[in-house]
Amino acid sequence: MIRIIKNVHVFAPEDVGIKDVLVATNKVIKIADKFEMDSDEEFLETIDGSGLYLFPGLIDGHVHILGGGGEGGYKTRTPELAFSDLVKGGVTTVVGCLGTDGVARSMESLVAKAYGIREEGISAYIYSGSYRLPLKTVTDSIQKDIMMIEPIIGVGEIAISDHRSSAPTIDEFLKVASDARVGGILSGKAGLVNVHLGDGKQMLEFLEYAKLNTEIPLTQFLPTHANRNRELFEVAIQYAKDGGYIDFTTSTVPQFIEEGEVPASEAFLLGLKAGVDKSHMTFTSDGQGSLPLFNESGEFLGLDVGRVTSLYESMCKLHVTYALPLEIALLPVTKNPAKLLKLHHKGRVFEGGDADLLLVDKVTLQISGVMAMGNWLKKDNVIIKKGTFE
Ligand code: ZN
C-alpha cells in the first residue's frame, strides 16, 4: 500500500512546514512540497492532512510491559500492558523491562511479550535483567543476551540508591556496564544501562564514579526517575550539565507531587533553564509500574498503575503550559531517546525512516491518527487495531 498524507504540518521533530508525505509499506519514502498521483489507483490511499500536525511516533523507553511487582503483596502485582494503551498514547516504539520482581516474572516472558507487541504492529525492544544484581539474563551472560537475542538492546532497570535494590557494590555495577557496552559495540546496539534511581542518599554516586574513574562514556547510562524528589533532581541536573543523560518519569499521582516529585514537564523546563543541553533529557512513562500510596503514618493504602499515555500528556504540557515550541517539546519523547537507544530508524520523520507517525489536531493536540510501520492503528479518531484479547 502507498499512502500520501497531503498538506500536513510536519514536525520531524524540527519544523519543516506544510508538506506532502509519501509512505510505502513500512517506510517514509518522500517528503515534498507537493505530489500528484493518480488517485484512482486502488493501492493508493490519500489522506487530507490540512488542519493537522504530523509528528514522529513516540518512543517510550521504560515500560513494565509484563506488569510490575506490587509493593502490597501478590495481589498487587500490576497487570500487563494493554496494546491499545500504546495506541491511545501515540507510542509506536516501546522498550520493556522487568522491575522489582525478577522472580515471579522472567526474562523469557518478557521476550515473548515483546514479540507479541510486534506481532500486533508496534515496535518493541527490551532490557535484560531486573532491579537486582547479579543480573538475570536469558542466556548466561549479558554480552550474549545483547548480541544473540535481537529485541534485547541493553540492561535494566538496575536499582541503585533504593531499599529495594540488591545493594550492589560499585565494582558489580561497573562490570555490568562494561559487559553491556561491549555487547552493544559488537552488535551495533546501544547496550544502554537503564538505571533506576531510588530515594536513597547515594543518588548518582555510582555514575559520577564511572565518569571520573572509568573509560565508559556517559552515553552508556540512562538513569531514570531523576525527578522523583527535589534533592535528587538538583543532583541529576548537575550530572547532566557535566555531560550525563537523564530521564524523567511521566507517570505520577497527586500525592507524589505533594511530597516533592518534580513533574516531568517542569523538570525538563527547569533543566533547560539551568543550562542542560536539550538533547540530554528524555521522558519515559514507567507504564504499568506500581505507584504505591501510603498514608501519613506510612501505612500502605493502595496502588495506582503507571500509564503510557502520560508520555504524550507531558509533551503537550511542555508546549501548552510552558509554551515551548513543538520542535523542542517533542525531543524528549522522539529524537533524544532514539539516539540514546541507537534506534536510528525511529524518532524522526525522514526519508528512509520507519513510517511511525502521529496525526494530531492543531487546535486540541488530540491524536487523531497513529501509524506504526506503515499501518494505521488509529485513524480518523478511531482506534482500529486492538490487542488480540481486547
Ligand atoms: Zn524504576
Side-chain angles (χ1 to χ4, degrees):
M1 182 61 107
I2 294 175
R3 307 178 207 275
I4 301 178
I5 307 166
K6 293 189 77 70
N7 297 312
V8 72
H9 192 157
V10 179
F11 283 87
E14 57 282 0
D15 184 355
V16 294
I18 308 277
K19 298 284 176 190
D20 287 359
V21 177
L22 177 74
V23 171
T25 64
N26 60 346
K27 294 285 181 188
V28 172
I29 302 296
K30 195 83 191 157
I31 302 165
D33 288 338
K34 205 157 191 59
F35 287 119
E36 290 305 341
M37 279 179 83
D38 184 355
S39 56
D40 291 341
E41 298 289 357
E42 61 184 27
F43 58 81
L44 179 70
E45 180 192 27
T46 306
I47 301 104
D48 180 15
S50 43
L52 300 174
Y53 291 130
L54 186 138
F55 297 158
L58 307 195
I59 298 171
D60 196 340
H62 184 116
V63 179
H64 300 280
I65 56 178
L66 279 183
E71 274 80 351
Y74 296 116
K75 67 176 183 287
T76 62
R77 297 169 85 232
T78 60
E80 279 195 20
L81 176 70
F83 182 78
S84 59
D85 281 354
L86 291 170
V87 181
K88 274 180 219 159
V91 174
T92 54
T93 303
V94 64
V95 187
C97 56
L98 293 178
T100 333
D101 185 356
V103 173
R105 306 209 191 250
S106 72
M107 277 307 298
E108 288 81 358
S109 299
L110 192 67
V111 174
K113 178 74 181 177
Y115 281 134
I117 293 170
R118 287 184 181 189
E119 284 179 12
E120 307 273 27
I122 282 179
S123 300
Y125 300 89
I126 53 173
Y127 294 121
S128 191
S130 61
Y131 264 30
R132 303 172 72 85
L133 302 184
L135 207 76
K136 280 212 177 162
T137 53
V138 182
T139 65
D140 55 359
S141 95
I142 292 168
Q143 270 196 55
K144 248 194 229 176
D145 266 24
I146 295 173
M147 291 175 67
M148 297 300 151
I149 299 176
E150 190 273 324
I152 295 180
I153 57 171
V155 297
E157 57 174 320
I158 297 167
I160 60 170
S161 194
D162 193 299
H163 61 99
R164 295 162 294 178
S165 77
S166 56
T169 64
I170 183 71
D171 291 343
E172 277 180 295
F173 180 76
L174 292 176
K175 174 77 173 61
V176 167
S178 77
D179 283 348
R181 173 162 178 78
V182 174
I185 288 170
L186 295 176
S187 60
K189 297 179 184 175
L192 194 74
V193 183
N194 190 237
V195 182
H196 160 104
L197 301 169
D199 280 316
K201 289 194 189 76
Q202 273 190 323
M203 296 193 269
L204 284 146
E205 274 173 25
F206 277 19
L207 301 181
E208 281 150 4
Y209 182 93
K211 183 184 179 224
L212 294 174
N213 299 288
T214 76
E215 285 70 47
I216 304 171
L218 291 182
T219 44
Q220 209 65 42
F221 301 100
L222 187 58
T224 186
H225 318 315
N227 53 326
R228 73 183 303 143
N229 66 55
R230 282 277 162 185
E231 202 185 347
L232 175 64
F233 174 70
E234 299 298 339
V235 171
I237 288 298
Q238 190 56 51
Y239 169 79
K241 282 172 76 173
D242 293 342
Y245 293 79
I246 51 176
D247 183 67
F248 302 128
T249 302
T250 57
S251 286
T252 189
V253 288
Q255 188 178 342
F256 289 2
I257 307 285
E258 279 165 34
E259 288 167 1
E261 186 182 79
V262 187
S265 47
E266 190 186 327
F268 186 85
L269 189 82
L270 291 172
L272 286 182
K273 283 187 177 163
V276 176
D277 187 308
K278 61 185 185 300
S279 70
H280 282 232
M281 296 181 281
T282 60
F283 288 173
T284 56
S285 73
D286 204 8
Q288 302 308 115
S290 59
L291 304 170
L293 301 168
F294 300 92
N295 68 12
E296 280 161 13
S297 15
E299 289 163 314
F300 176 73
L301 290 177
L303 290 170
D304 215 327
V305 178
R307 298 276 171 216
V308 290
T309 46
S310 64
L311 198 70
Y312 185 69
E313 289 161 10
S314 296
M315 191 290 292
C316 290
K317 206 170 161 197
L318 278 179
H319 180 57
V320 177
T321 309
Y322 298 122
L324 283 187
L326 282 168
E327 54 193 337
I328 307 289
L330 282 164
L331 288 175
V333 292
T334 59
K335 191 178 174 182
N336 291 356
K339 195 168 177 211
L340 268 178
L341 293 164
K342 286 198 163 60
L343 299 174
H344 300 304
H345 44 305
K346 304 284 188 194
R348 293 174 296 138
V349 184
F350 67 104
E351 293 175 1
D354 285 350
D356 290 342
L357 308 170
L358 307 184
L359 289 176
V360 170
D361 186 284
K362 279 185 184 174
V363 179
T364 63
L365 291 185
Q366 293 275 8
I367 301 172
S368 65
V370 178
M371 182 191 284
M373 297 303 278
N375 293 310
W376 291 113
L377 305 179
K378 183 176 187 180
K379 202 182 163 196
D380 300 328
N381 288 305
V382 180
I383 292 180
I384 54 177
K385 178 74 176 80
K386 290 189 176 178
T388 303
F389 296 104
E390 290 187 279

